[in-house]
Amino acid sequence: MTVDYGTQAAAPAEPDARPNRLALAGLVFGLLGLLPLPVLGPVLALCFGVAGGRKADRGEAGGRGMATAAIVLGIVGCVCAVLGIVVGFIQLTGPGAR
């Protein structure tokens, strides 16, 4: 009598141990976007964060958490930049402006 245990499913591929430079760049631009680069930084953080997240999802590199942090910082930075532009516009064109 033989017992057939079937085929074993392959273990999911672990992400490569290489650093994800796109996610790291996104994180750096996200942090810079909060103060020194208020308009350009968040946009670059979003771009690099999404690209780094896709690379991590494909298993080509690790750093999914860094990519997520870059996306969050990019969104927060974009919202702050838009609010700053709106407030500046209101200050320049409001009823007290001359």
Side-chain angles (χ1 to χ4, degrees):
M1 177 177 194
T2 60
V3 178
D4 184 19
Y5 291 107
T7 58
Q8 289 183 341
E14 293 184 17
D16 200 357
R18 294 179 304 191
N20 191 341
R21 292 182 179 169
L22 291 172
L24 181 61
L27 187 61
V28 168
F29 279 118
L31 291 172
L32 288 175
L34 294 177
L35 287 179
L37 300 171
V39 177
L40 183 62
V43 173
L44 290 175
L46 282 172
C47 294
F48 283 118
V50 168
R54 287 183 180 167
K55 189 173 183 179
D57 288 342
R58 287 191 305 260
E60 296 175 7
R64 180 69 185 144
M66 280 194 295
T68 304
I71 292 169
V72 169
L73 284 172
I75 291 171
V76 168
C78 284
V79 168
C80 289
V82 167
L83 286 176
I85 291 170
V86 168
V87 167
F89 182 75
I90 291 172
Q91 289 293 321
L92 291 174
T93 62
R98 292 183 186 219

mmCIF file of all heavy atoms in Angstrom, residues 8-58:
data_model
loop_
_atom_site.group_PDB
_atom_site.id
_atom_site.type_symbol
_atom_site.label_atom_id
_atom_site.label_comp_id
_atom_site.label_asym_id
_atom_site.label_seq_id
_atom_site.Cartn_x
_atom_site.Cartn_y
_atom_site.Cartn_z
ATOM 1 N N GLN A 8 3.872 19.188 -2.592
ATOM 2 C CA GLN A 8 3.960 20.274 -1.620
ATOM 3 C C GLN A 8 4.037 21.595 -2.362
ATOM 4 O O GLN A 8 4.700 21.710 -3.385
ATOM 5 C CB GLN A 8 5.203 20.114 -0.754
ATOM 6 C CG GLN A 8 5.106 18.976 0.222
ATOM 7 C CD GLN A 8 6.335 18.924 1.103
ATOM 8 O OE1 GLN A 8 7.364 19.492 0.777
ATOM 9 N NE2 GLN A 8 6.215 18.253 2.229
ATOM 10 N N ALA A 9 3.341 22.577 -1.837
ATOM 11 C CA ALA A 9 3.398 23.907 -2.427
ATOM 12 C C ALA A 9 4.753 24.520 -2.110
ATOM 13 O O ALA A 9 5.302 24.339 -1.024
ATOM 14 C CB ALA A 9 2.289 24.791 -1.872
ATOM 15 N N ALA A 10 5.292 25.203 -3.073
ATOM 16 C CA ALA A 10 6.578 25.853 -2.862
ATOM 17 C C ALA A 10 6.424 26.995 -1.869
ATOM 18 O O ALA A 10 5.397 27.677 -1.837
ATOM 19 C CB ALA A 10 7.118 26.385 -4.189
ATOM 20 N N ALA A 11 7.428 27.170 -1.069
ATOM 21 C CA ALA A 11 7.405 28.271 -0.104
ATOM 22 C C ALA A 11 7.431 29.588 -0.865
ATOM 23 O O ALA A 11 8.057 29.703 -1.916
ATOM 24 C CB ALA A 11 8.602 28.177 0.827
ATOM 25 N N PRO A 12 6.723 30.596 -0.364
ATOM 26 C CA PRO A 12 6.750 31.884 -1.064
ATOM 27 C C PRO A 12 8.164 32.440 -1.104
ATOM 28 O O PRO A 12 8.932 32.286 -0.157
ATOM 29 C CB PRO A 12 5.817 32.779 -0.234
ATOM 30 C CG PRO A 12 5.688 32.093 1.083
ATOM 31 C CD PRO A 12 5.932 30.635 0.843
ATOM 32 N N ALA A 13 8.467 33.047 -2.200
ATOM 33 C CA ALA A 13 9.809 33.600 -2.362
ATOM 34 C C ALA A 13 10.019 34.763 -1.399
ATOM 35 O O ALA A 13 9.193 35.662 -1.307
ATOM 36 C CB ALA A 13 10.015 34.076 -3.794
ATOM 37 N N GLU A 14 11.123 34.697 -0.679
ATOM 38 C CA GLU A 14 11.431 35.785 0.239
ATOM 39 C C GLU A 14 12.029 36.933 -0.556
ATOM 40 O O GLU A 14 12.738 36.726 -1.537
ATOM 41 C CB GLU A 14 12.417 35.307 1.301
ATOM 42 C CG GLU A 14 11.832 34.281 2.231
ATOM 43 C CD GLU A 14 12.805 33.899 3.325
ATOM 44 O OE1 GLU A 14 13.782 34.643 3.541
ATOM 45 O OE2 GLU A 14 12.594 32.859 3.952
ATOM 46 N N PRO A 15 11.765 38.150 -0.132
ATOM 47 C CA PRO A 15 12.365 39.280 -0.836
ATOM 48 C C PRO A 15 13.886 39.205 -0.765
ATOM 49 O O PRO A 15 14.450 38.715 0.199
ATOM 50 C CB PRO A 15 11.843 40.510 -0.091
ATOM 51 C CG PRO A 15 10.759 40.039 0.785
ATOM 52 C CD PRO A 15 10.901 38.567 0.939
ATOM 53 N N ASP A 16 14.489 39.706 -1.798
ATOM 54 C CA ASP A 16 15.944 39.700 -1.855
ATOM 55 C C ASP A 16 16.490 40.565 -0.721
ATOM 56 O O ASP A 16 15.878 41.531 -0.298
ATOM 57 C CB ASP A 16 16.389 40.251 -3.208
ATOM 58 C CG ASP A 16 17.802 39.843 -3.545
ATOM 59 O OD1 ASP A 16 18.435 39.183 -2.705
ATOM 60 O OD2 ASP A 16 18.243 40.171 -4.644
ATOM 61 N N ALA A 17 17.650 40.204 -0.236
ATOM 62 C CA ALA A 17 18.252 40.932 0.882
ATOM 63 C C ALA A 17 18.866 42.261 0.439
ATOM 64 O O ALA A 17 19.313 43.029 1.267
ATOM 65 C CB ALA A 17 19.301 40.073 1.558
ATOM 66 N N ARG A 18 18.887 42.509 -0.869
ATOM 67 C CA ARG A 18 19.451 43.769 -1.349
ATOM 68 C C ARG A 18 18.591 44.940 -0.898
ATOM 69 O O ARG A 18 17.368 44.825 -0.819
ATOM 70 C CB ARG A 18 19.522 43.767 -2.869
ATOM 71 C CG ARG A 18 20.491 42.764 -3.421
ATOM 72 C CD ARG A 18 20.480 42.809 -4.907
ATOM 73 N NE ARG A 18 19.096 42.585 -5.350
ATOM 74 C CZ ARG A 18 18.742 42.359 -6.594
ATOM 75 N NH1 ARG A 18 19.640 42.337 -7.527
ATOM 76 N NH2 ARG A 18 17.491 42.155 -6.923
ATOM 77 N N PRO A 19 19.218 46.060 -0.626
ATOM 78 C CA PRO A 19 18.420 47.240 -0.227
ATOM 79 C C PRO A 19 17.626 47.780 -1.408
ATOM 80 O O PRO A 19 18.048 47.682 -2.559
ATOM 81 C CB PRO A 19 19.472 48.241 0.237
ATOM 82 C CG PRO A 19 20.729 47.809 -0.413
ATOM 83 C CD PRO A 19 20.643 46.328 -0.598
ATOM 84 N N ASN A 20 16.500 48.326 -1.103
ATOM 85 C CA ASN A 20 15.649 48.922 -2.128
ATOM 86 C C ASN A 20 15.983 50.411 -2.195
ATOM 87 O O ASN A 20 15.524 51.207 -1.378
ATOM 88 C CB ASN A 20 14.177 48.707 -1.765
ATOM 89 C CG ASN A 20 13.240 49.057 -2.883
ATOM 90 O OD1 ASN A 20 13.592 49.776 -3.804
ATOM 91 N ND2 ASN A 20 12.030 48.540 -2.796
ATOM 92 N N ARG A 21 16.798 50.780 -3.158
ATOM 93 C CA ARG A 21 17.272 52.160 -3.248
ATOM 94 C C ARG A 21 16.158 53.117 -3.630
ATOM 95 O O ARG A 21 16.182 54.284 -3.247
ATOM 96 C CB ARG A 21 18.429 52.256 -4.226
ATOM 97 C CG ARG A 21 19.651 51.544 -3.707
ATOM 98 C CD ARG A 21 20.811 51.673 -4.630
ATOM 99 N NE ARG A 21 21.957 50.976 -4.049
ATOM 100 C CZ ARG A 21 23.050 50.727 -4.685
ATOM 101 N NH1 ARG A 21 23.189 51.118 -5.940
ATOM 102 N NH2 ARG A 21 24.035 50.087 -4.097
ATOM 103 N N LEU A 22 15.173 52.641 -4.372
ATOM 104 C CA LEU A 22 14.048 53.512 -4.728
ATOM 105 C C LEU A 22 13.240 53.876 -3.481
ATOM 106 O O LEU A 22 12.854 55.035 -3.291
ATOM 107 C CB LEU A 22 13.154 52.825 -5.753
ATOM 108 C CG LEU A 22 13.739 52.636 -7.143
ATOM 109 C CD1 LEU A 22 12.822 51.764 -7.988
ATOM 110 C CD2 LEU A 22 13.960 53.971 -7.803
ATOM 111 N N ALA A 23 13.001 52.889 -2.621
ATOM 112 C CA ALA A 23 12.253 53.156 -1.393
ATOM 113 C C ALA A 23 13.044 54.070 -0.469
ATOM 114 O O ALA A 23 12.480 54.971 0.168
ATOM 115 C CB ALA A 23 11.913 51.851 -0.684
ATOM 116 N N LEU A 24 14.353 53.858 -0.401
ATOM 117 C CA LEU A 24 15.190 54.707 0.439
ATOM 118 C C LEU A 24 15.206 56.145 -0.077
ATOM 119 O O LEU A 24 15.101 57.097 0.711
ATOM 120 C CB LEU A 24 16.613 54.153 0.497
ATOM 121 C CG LEU A 24 17.592 54.930 1.368
ATOM 122 C CD1 LEU A 24 17.125 54.949 2.806
ATOM 123 C CD2 LEU A 24 18.976 54.319 1.262
ATOM 124 N N ALA A 25 15.311 56.307 -1.393
ATOM 125 C CA ALA A 25 15.275 57.657 -1.967
ATOM 126 C C ALA A 25 13.929 58.325 -1.688
ATOM 127 O O ALA A 25 13.859 59.517 -1.377
ATOM 128 C CB ALA A 25 15.545 57.604 -3.463
ATOM 129 N N GLY A 26 12.846 57.561 -1.787
ATOM 130 C CA GLY A 26 11.532 58.110 -1.488
ATOM 131 C C GLY A 26 11.411 58.551 -0.043
ATOM 132 O O GLY A 26 10.840 59.599 0.257
ATOM 133 N N LEU A 27 11.975 57.762 0.857
ATOM 134 C CA LEU A 27 11.934 58.121 2.271
ATOM 135 C C LEU A 27 12.737 59.387 2.543
ATOM 136 O O LEU A 27 12.296 60.273 3.285
ATOM 137 C CB LEU A 27 12.466 56.957 3.107
ATOM 138 C CG LEU A 27 12.343 57.083 4.618
ATOM 139 C CD1 LEU A 27 10.891 57.197 5.030
ATOM 140 C CD2 LEU A 27 12.984 55.888 5.290
ATOM 141 N N VAL A 28 13.901 59.507 1.920
ATOM 142 C CA VAL A 28 14.725 60.706 2.102
ATOM 143 C C VAL A 28 13.996 61.932 1.552
ATOM 144 O O VAL A 28 13.933 62.983 2.208
ATOM 145 C CB VAL A 28 16.103 60.522 1.425
ATOM 146 C CG1 VAL A 28 16.856 61.840 1.345
ATOM 147 C CG2 VAL A 28 16.918 59.482 2.170
ATOM 148 N N PHE A 29 13.432 61.828 0.346
ATOM 149 C CA PHE A 29 12.702 62.964 -0.211
ATOM 150 C C PHE A 29 11.449 63.277 0.596
ATOM 151 O O PHE A 29 11.049 64.437 0.703
ATOM 152 C CB PHE A 29 12.338 62.715 -1.674
ATOM 153 C CG PHE A 29 13.464 62.982 -2.624
ATOM 154 C CD1 PHE A 29 13.973 61.970 -3.402
ATOM 155 C CD2 PHE A 29 14.019 64.242 -2.733
ATOM 156 C CE1 PHE A 29 15.016 62.202 -4.280
ATOM 157 C CE2 PHE A 29 15.060 64.498 -3.595
ATOM 158 C CZ PHE A 29 15.566 63.466 -4.381
ATOM 159 N N GLY A 30 10.824 62.266 1.185
ATOM 160 C CA GLY A 30 9.664 62.514 2.036
ATOM 161 C C GLY A 30 10.033 63.314 3.272
ATOM 162 O O GLY A 30 9.312 64.224 3.684
ATOM 163 N N LEU A 31 11.178 62.980 3.855
ATOM 164 C CA LEU A 31 11.628 63.737 5.030
ATOM 165 C C LEU A 31 12.075 65.142 4.649
ATOM 166 O O LEU A 31 11.789 66.105 5.365
ATOM 167 C CB LEU A 31 12.765 62.981 5.729
ATOM 168 C CG LEU A 31 12.360 61.676 6.411
ATOM 169 C CD1 LEU A 31 13.585 60.924 6.897
ATOM 170 C CD2 LEU A 31 11.395 61.937 7.540
ATOM 171 N N LEU A 32 12.771 65.270 3.524
ATOM 172 C CA LEU A 32 13.182 66.602 3.070
ATOM 173 C C LEU A 32 11.979 67.441 2.652
ATOM 174 O O LEU A 32 12.021 68.664 2.721
ATOM 175 C CB LEU A 32 14.159 66.490 1.899
ATOM 176 C CG LEU A 32 15.561 65.993 2.219
ATOM 177 C CD1 LEU A 32 16.367 65.825 0.938
ATOM 178 C CD2 LEU A 32 16.257 66.923 3.180
ATOM 179 N N GLY A 33 10.936 66.796 2.217
ATOM 180 C CA GLY A 33 9.750 67.519 1.771
ATOM 181 C C GLY A 33 8.971 68.172 2.889
ATOM 182 O O GLY A 33 8.134 69.040 2.640
ATOM 183 N N LEU A 34 9.234 67.765 4.111
ATOM 184 C CA LEU A 34 8.501 68.370 5.222
ATOM 185 C C LEU A 34 8.993 69.780 5.538
ATOM 186 O O LEU A 34 8.221 70.604 5.999
ATOM 187 C CB LEU A 34 8.600 67.479 6.461
ATOM 188 C CG LEU A 34 7.903 66.125 6.329
ATOM 189 C CD1 LEU A 34 8.117 65.301 7.590
ATOM 190 C CD2 LEU A 34 6.428 66.287 6.034
ATOM 191 N N LEU A 35 10.282 70.067 5.307
ATOM 192 C CA LEU A 35 10.763 71.424 5.577
ATOM 193 C C LEU A 35 11.541 72.046 4.424
ATOM 194 O O LEU A 35 11.087 73.011 3.838
ATOM 195 C CB LEU A 35 11.601 71.441 6.866
ATOM 196 C CG LEU A 35 10.788 71.294 8.142
ATOM 197 C CD1 LEU A 35 11.692 71.286 9.347
ATOM 198 C CD2 LEU A 35 9.771 72.397 8.283
ATOM 199 N N PRO A 36 12.721 71.511 4.038
ATOM 200 C CA PRO A 36 13.536 72.252 3.060
ATOM 201 C C PRO A 36 13.009 72.248 1.628
ATOM 202 O O PRO A 36 13.248 73.192 0.894
ATOM 203 C CB PRO A 36 14.899 71.564 3.110
ATOM 204 C CG PRO A 36 14.844 70.558 4.174
ATOM 205 C CD PRO A 36 13.444 70.392 4.597
ATOM 206 N N LEU A 37 12.331 71.211 1.217
ATOM 207 C CA LEU A 37 11.811 71.132 -0.150
ATOM 208 C C LEU A 37 10.301 70.924 -0.107
ATOM 209 O O LEU A 37 9.807 69.841 -0.411
ATOM 210 C CB LEU A 37 12.467 69.960 -0.904
ATOM 211 C CG LEU A 37 13.968 69.990 -1.067
ATOM 212 C CD1 LEU A 37 14.466 68.677 -1.634
ATOM 213 C CD2 LEU A 37 14.367 71.140 -1.959
ATOM 214 N N PRO A 38 9.535 71.951 0.233
ATOM 215 C CA PRO A 38 8.108 71.736 0.516
ATOM 216 C C PRO A 38 7.246 71.373 -0.678
ATOM 217 O O PRO A 38 6.165 70.846 -0.499
ATOM 218 C CB PRO A 38 7.663 73.069 1.114
ATOM 219 C CG PRO A 38 8.628 74.061 0.607
ATOM 220 C CD PRO A 38 9.918 73.336 0.429
ATOM 221 N N VAL A 39 7.666 71.636 -1.900
ATOM 222 C CA VAL A 39 6.823 71.309 -3.050
ATOM 223 C C VAL A 39 7.414 70.139 -3.833
ATOM 224 O O VAL A 39 6.705 69.187 -4.172
ATOM 225 C CB VAL A 39 6.634 72.539 -3.965
ATOM 226 C CG1 VAL A 39 5.821 72.188 -5.187
ATOM 227 C CG2 VAL A 39 5.964 73.671 -3.187
ATOM 228 N N LEU A 40 8.696 70.183 -4.104
ATOM 229 C CA LEU A 40 9.335 69.151 -4.917
ATOM 230 C C LEU A 40 9.535 67.848 -4.149
ATOM 231 O O LEU A 40 9.359 66.759 -4.704
ATOM 232 C CB LEU A 40 10.686 69.670 -5.431
ATOM 233 C CG LEU A 40 11.458 68.749 -6.362
ATOM 234 C CD1 LEU A 40 10.667 68.502 -7.631
ATOM 235 C CD2 LEU A 40 12.806 69.352 -6.682
ATOM 236 N N GLY A 41 9.879 67.922 -2.891
ATOM 237 C CA GLY A 41 10.156 66.729 -2.082
ATOM 238 C C GLY A 41 9.015 65.738 -2.001
ATOM 239 O O GLY A 41 9.211 64.543 -2.243
ATOM 240 N N PRO A 42 7.800 66.174 -1.665
ATOM 241 C CA PRO A 42 6.694 65.220 -1.569
ATOM 242 C C PRO A 42 6.342 64.549 -2.898
ATOM 243 O O PRO A 42 5.991 63.371 -2.922
ATOM 244 C CB PRO A 42 5.528 66.070 -1.069
ATOM 245 C CG PRO A 42 6.142 67.224 -0.409
ATOM 246 C CD PRO A 42 7.421 67.480 -1.130
ATOM 247 N N VAL A 43 6.457 65.289 -3.977
ATOM 248 C CA VAL A 43 6.148 64.694 -5.288
ATOM 249 C C VAL A 43 7.168 63.605 -5.609
ATOM 250 O O VAL A 43 6.803 62.509 -6.053
ATOM 251 C CB VAL A 43 6.131 65.792 -6.377
ATOM 252 C CG1 VAL A 43 5.987 65.181 -7.749
ATOM 253 C CG2 VAL A 43 5.015 66.778 -6.101
ATOM 254 N N LEU A 44 8.441 63.893 -5.373
ATOM 255 C CA LEU A 44 9.472 62.885 -5.603
ATOM 256 C C LEU A 44 9.323 61.711 -4.639
ATOM 257 O O LEU A 44 9.580 60.561 -5.012
ATOM 258 C CB LEU A 44 10.862 63.514 -5.471
ATOM 259 C CG LEU A 44 11.256 64.491 -6.576
ATOM 260 C CD1 LEU A 44 12.591 65.142 -6.261
ATOM 261 C CD2 LEU A 44 11.306 63.788 -7.911
ATOM 262 N N ALA A 45 8.912 61.983 -3.401
ATOM 263 C CA ALA A 45 8.698 60.908 -2.432
ATOM 264 C C ALA A 45 7.598 59.969 -2.900
ATOM 265 O O ALA A 45 7.725 58.743 -2.780
ATOM 266 C CB ALA A 45 8.358 61.492 -1.060
ATOM 267 N N LEU A 46 6.529 60.529 -3.436
ATOM 268 C CA LEU A 46 5.450 59.685 -3.954
ATOM 269 C C LEU A 46 5.928 58.846 -5.127
ATOM 270 O O LEU A 46 5.649 57.638 -5.197
ATOM 271 C CB LEU A 46 4.258 60.545 -4.377
ATOM 272 C CG LEU A 46 3.364 61.046 -3.254
ATOM 273 C CD1 LEU A 46 2.340 62.034 -3.797
ATOM 274 C CD2 LEU A 46 2.655 59.884 -2.604
ATOM 275 N N CYS A 47 6.640 59.454 -6.051
ATOM 276 C CA CYS A 47 7.118 58.720 -7.234
ATOM 277 C C CYS A 47 8.060 57.583 -6.838
ATOM 278 O O CYS A 47 7.877 56.437 -7.257
ATOM 279 C CB CYS A 47 7.815 59.672 -8.196
ATOM 280 S SG CYS A 47 6.725 60.892 -8.934
ATOM 281 N N PHE A 48 9.074 57.906 -6.026
ATOM 282 C CA PHE A 48 10.030 56.884 -5.621
ATOM 283 C C PHE A 48 9.391 55.844 -4.687
ATOM 284 O O PHE A 48 9.742 54.664 -4.733
ATOM 285 C CB PHE A 48 11.240 57.516 -4.935
ATOM 286 C CG PHE A 48 12.211 58.151 -5.892
ATOM 287 C CD1 PHE A 48 12.472 59.507 -5.826
ATOM 288 C CD2 PHE A 48 12.859 57.400 -6.842
ATOM 289 C CE1 PHE A 48 13.371 60.099 -6.698
ATOM 290 C CE2 PHE A 48 13.756 57.975 -7.717
ATOM 291 C CZ PHE A 48 14.016 59.336 -7.653
ATOM 292 N N GLY A 49 8.465 56.271 -3.843
ATOM 293 C CA GLY A 49 7.800 55.331 -2.944
ATOM 294 C C GLY A 49 6.954 54.313 -3.692
ATOM 295 O O GLY A 49 6.977 53.117 -3.389
ATOM 296 N N VAL A 50 6.215 54.771 -4.691
ATOM 297 C CA VAL A 50 5.400 53.847 -5.486
ATOM 298 C C VAL A 50 6.296 52.901 -6.279
ATOM 299 O O VAL A 50 6.055 51.688 -6.335
ATOM 300 C CB VAL A 50 4.446 54.638 -6.415
ATOM 301 C CG1 VAL A 50 3.806 53.730 -7.437
ATOM 302 C CG2 VAL A 50 3.381 55.344 -5.588
ATOM 303 N N ALA A 51 7.352 53.432 -6.891
ATOM 304 C CA ALA A 51 8.268 52.587 -7.661
ATOM 305 C C ALA A 51 8.964 51.570 -6.749
ATOM 306 O O ALA A 51 9.108 50.396 -7.113
ATOM 307 C CB ALA A 51 9.293 53.448 -8.386
ATOM 308 N N GLY A 52 9.384 52.007 -5.578
ATOM 309 C CA GLY A 52 10.019 51.092 -4.633
ATOM 310 C C GLY A 52 9.063 50.046 -4.100
ATOM 311 O O GLY A 52 9.433 48.889 -3.890
ATOM 312 N N GLY A 53 7.811 50.420 -3.886
ATOM 313 C CA GLY A 53 6.803 49.458 -3.444
ATOM 314 C C GLY A 53 6.527 48.403 -4.489
ATOM 315 O O GLY A 53 6.374 47.217 -4.183
ATOM 316 N N ARG A 54 6.469 48.812 -5.746
ATOM 317 C CA ARG A 54 6.256 47.837 -6.824
ATOM 318 C C ARG A 54 7.435 46.886 -6.936
ATOM 319 O O ARG A 54 7.259 45.686 -7.160
ATOM 320 C CB ARG A 54 6.034 48.564 -8.136
ATOM 321 C CG ARG A 54 4.680 49.226 -8.200
ATOM 322 C CD ARG A 54 4.448 49.882 -9.534
ATOM 323 N NE ARG A 54 3.122 50.499 -9.544
ATOM 324 C CZ ARG A 54 2.719 51.342 -10.456
ATOM 325 N NH1 ARG A 54 3.523 51.671 -11.455
ATOM 326 N NH2 ARG A 54 1.514 51.865 -10.403
ATOM 327 N N LYS A 55 8.641 47.410 -6.756
ATOM 328 C CA LYS A 55 9.828 46.571 -6.812
ATOM 329 C C LYS A 55 9.827 45.566 -5.660
ATOM 330 O O LYS A 55 10.184 44.404 -5.842
ATOM 331 C CB LYS A 55 11.078 47.455 -6.764
ATOM 332 C CG LYS A 55 12.359 46.729 -7.022
ATOM 333 C CD LYS A 55 13.514 47.710 -7.120
ATOM 334 C CE LYS A 55 14.806 46.991 -7.443
ATOM 335 N NZ LYS A 55 15.930 47.919 -7.562
ATOM 336 N N ALA A 56 9.405 46.010 -4.482
ATOM 337 C CA ALA A 56 9.331 45.115 -3.325
ATOM 338 C C ALA A 56 8.235 44.072 -3.518
ATOM 339 O O ALA A 56 8.402 42.914 -3.136
ATOM 340 C CB ALA A 56 9.081 45.925 -2.049
ATOM 341 N N ASP A 57 7.118 44.455 -4.116
ATOM 342 C CA ASP A 57 6.032 43.505 -4.354
ATOM 343 C C ASP A 57 6.430 42.419 -5.347
ATOM 344 O O ASP A 57 5.954 41.289 -5.253
ATOM 345 C CB ASP A 57 4.783 44.232 -4.858
ATOM 346 C CG ASP A 57 4.107 45.054 -3.772
ATOM 347 O OD1 ASP A 57 4.397 44.797 -2.574
ATOM 348 O OD2 ASP A 57 3.298 45.937 -4.106
ATOM 349 N N ARG A 58 7.283 42.781 -6.305
ATOM 350 C CA ARG A 58 7.750 41.789 -7.279
ATOM 351 C C ARG A 58 8.807 40.869 -6.684
ATOM 352 O O ARG A 58 9.173 39.879 -7.295
ATOM 353 C CB ARG A 58 8.336 42.491 -8.508
ATOM 354 C CG ARG A 58 7.310 43.125 -9.404
ATOM 355 C CD ARG A 58 7.926 43.557 -10.728
ATOM 356 N NE ARG A 58 9.079 44.438 -10.550
ATOM 357 C CZ ARG A 58 9.045 45.764 -10.666
ATOM 358 N NH1 ARG A 58 7.897 46.369 -10.950
ATOM 359 N NH2 ARG A 58 10.128 46.484 -10.508
#
